[in-house]
């Protein structure tokens, strides 16, 4: 009788730009020959996991290494706030264009995007339908990205209910769950994210300048609003909401991990990386690789 194969699941947590560390985690696992049998992702974890499951991972990593300071602003369709600051149509169009496989049921690896129902507060596991739309629902940070109407409800960021979706990976049948938590220990870092050492972006103080330039063709009302939002070098609204969500996710994760314990927990040390520091992909990917390598010996011993 042949030995039953151990099913390994990834639980990729939320954390906005910090999600580039997930790329390093997957790269290290692939390089070590560790199979991934299913993926559950929350927020940015659903994006990175979805790209991997769709066979688009190598293209994603190439894109990550080309991102500069203002790159992601091309995909930000600012609107006067009604449901959120960003409508999200450009992001959805980008996801649809760059994913090789469009439907969750057709993925080679079972995949689940975790979102939250804004009205009921229930955790939603999206395991069928359009992959890009599932990702878009899972990353809907309240106040920043408009919620997504789906299945009769309004979906928002899954980090509100399950920031590191260990339980979702278990529900998919994973025997071994490798979880990646991006939101902890904000003041500490193994890395030195010094802005002056990063060649391909402007200083962080230029947030306001970049946002004002982005609204050049907008109406006067919107431009005036942005002037108010981006005065001086203080944190802008994206920073305030992004960091607030990260702190909240950290608190929820600490409680969830007491009852839903992964078999392996990877915690990249990302220090003060901000929610929208997408231009810092390279060092975050390297940190993901570094922290994953620490568990490989024990992981091999368990699965072989």
């Amino acid at each position: 009788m042949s030995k039953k194969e151990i099913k390994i699941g990834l639980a990729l947590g939320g954390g906005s730009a910090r999600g580039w560390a997930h790329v390093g985690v997957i790269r290290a696992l692939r390089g070590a020959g560790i199979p991934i049998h299913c993926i559950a992702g929350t927020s940015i974890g659903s994006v990175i996991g979805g790209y991997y499951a769709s066979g688009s991972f190598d293209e994603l990593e190439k894109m990550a290494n080309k991102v500069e300071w203002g790159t992601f602003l091309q995909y930000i369709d600012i609107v006067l706030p009604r449901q959120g600051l960003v409508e999200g149509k450009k992001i959805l169009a980008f996801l649809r264009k760059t994913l090789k496989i469009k439907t969750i049921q057709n993925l080679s690896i079972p995949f689940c995007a975790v979102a939250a129902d804004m009205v009921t507060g229930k955790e939603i596991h999206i395991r069928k339908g359009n992959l890009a739309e599932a990702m878009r629902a899972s990353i809907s940070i309240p106040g920043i990205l408009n919620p997504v109407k789906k299945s009769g409800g309004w979906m928002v960021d899954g980090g509100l209910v399950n920031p590191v979706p260990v339980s979702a990976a278990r529900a998919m049948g994973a025997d071994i769950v490798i979880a990646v938590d991006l939101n902890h220990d904000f003041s500490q870092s193994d890395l030195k994210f010094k802005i002056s050492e990063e060649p391909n972006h402007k200083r962080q103080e230029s947030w306001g300048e970049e946002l004002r330039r982005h609204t050049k063709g907008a109406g006067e009302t919107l431009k005036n609003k942005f002037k108010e939002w981006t005065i001086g070098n203080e944190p802008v609204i994206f920073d305030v909401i992004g960091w607030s969500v990260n702190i909240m996710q950290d608190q929820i994760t600490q409680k969830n991990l007491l009852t839903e314990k992964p078999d392996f927990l990877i915690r990249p040390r990302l220090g003060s990386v901000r929610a929208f520091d997408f231009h810092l992909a390279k060092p975050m990917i390297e940190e993901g690789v570094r922290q994953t390598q620490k568990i490989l010996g024990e992981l091999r011993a368990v699965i072989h």
Side-chain angles (χ1 to χ4, degrees), residues 195-245:
I195 301 307
S196 60
E197 295 176 359
E198 293 294 326
N200 294 323
H201 65 84
K202 300 177 182 178
R203 295 183 59 81
Q204 287 192 13
E205 291 94 304
S206 68
W207 249 115
E209 179 185 345
E210 287 286 347
L211 289 171
R212 285 192 290 272
R213 184 180 297 111
H214 189 62
T215 62
K216 184 178 180 180
E220 288 301 318
T221 301
L222 184 55
K223 285 193 287 187
N224 290 335
K225 280 292 181 185
F226 261 90
K227 287 179 182 178
E228 295 175 14
W229 291 345
T230 59
I231 291 174
N233 295 328
E234 298 177 356
V236 300
I237 191 167
F238 291 95
D239 293 320
V240 173
I241 296 176
W243 273 110
S244 298
V245 170

Side-chain angles (χ1 to χ4, degrees), residues 114-126:
V114 177
D117 188 302
M118 185 175 68
V119 177
T120 66
K122 291 183 178 179
E123 181 176 337
I124 305 297
H125 292 181
I126 307 174

Side-chain angles (χ1 to χ4, degrees), residues 153-212:
W154 289 96
M155 303 294 104
V156 291
D157 196 298
L160 297 181
V161 289
N162 198 350
V164 183
V166 175
S167 57
R170 296 277 188 212
M172 298 174 78
D175 301 304
I176 300 293
V177 175
I178 303 169
V180 187
D181 175 18
L182 303 176
N183 294 304
H184 73 288
D185 206 13
F186 293 109
S187 63
Q188 302 294 321
S189 177
D190 287 340
L191 307 177
K192 293 182 180 179
F193 289 104
K194 292 184 178 178
I195 301 307
S196 60
E197 295 176 359
E198 293 294 326
N200 294 323
H201 65 84
K202 300 177 182 178
R203 295 183 59 81
Q204 287 192 13
E205 291 94 304
S206 68
W207 249 115
E209 179 185 345
E210 287 286 347
L211 289 171
R212 285 192 290 272

Side-chain angles (χ1 to χ4, degrees), residues 21-169:
H22 289 321
V23 174
V25 171
I26 293 174
R27 184 210 284 175
L29 292 174
R30 283 205 313 177
I34 305 297
I36 299 171
H37 299 101
C38 62
I39 300 174
T42 292
S43 197
I44 193 65
S46 77
V47 175
I48 306 300
Y51 270 94
Y52 182 75
S54 72
S56 308
F57 181 77
D58 292 334
E59 290 80 3
L60 175 67
E61 187 167 4
K62 289 177 183 177
M63 285 189 289
N65 289 315
K66 293 180 181 178
V67 172
E68 296 183 0
W69 174 240
T71 301
F72 87 98
L73 288 177
Q74 300 173 26
Y75 304 102
I76 301 299
D77 37 12
I78 302 290
V79 293
L80 283 174
R82 183 182 177 190
Q83 298 174 335
L85 292 171
V86 178
E87 191 168 13
K89 288 184 177 180
K90 289 184 178 180
I91 294 173
L92 180 59
F94 174 79
L95 294 173
R96 284 175 170 164
K97 180 180 178 181
T98 54
L99 288 165
K100 288 182 179 179
I101 298 176
K102 314 296 183 183
T103 306
I104 294 175
Q105 297 94 308
N106 294 335
L107 298 174
S108 58
I109 300 173
F111 171 78
C112 172
V114 177
D117 188 302
M118 185 175 68
V119 177
T120 66
K122 291 183 178 179
E123 181 176 337
I124 305 297
H125 292 181
I126 307 174
R127 295 191 57 182
K128 62 181 181 180
N130 185 274
L131 177 58
E133 291 177 4
M135 291 178 178
R136 171 63 183 83
S138 185
I139 64 172
S140 301
I141 301 175
I144 292 183
L145 266 173
N146 281 0
V148 172
K149 191 171 185 179
K150 189 174 180 66
S151 303
W154 289 96
M155 303 294 104
V156 291
D157 196 298
L160 297 181
V161 289
N162 198 350
V164 183
V166 175
S167 57

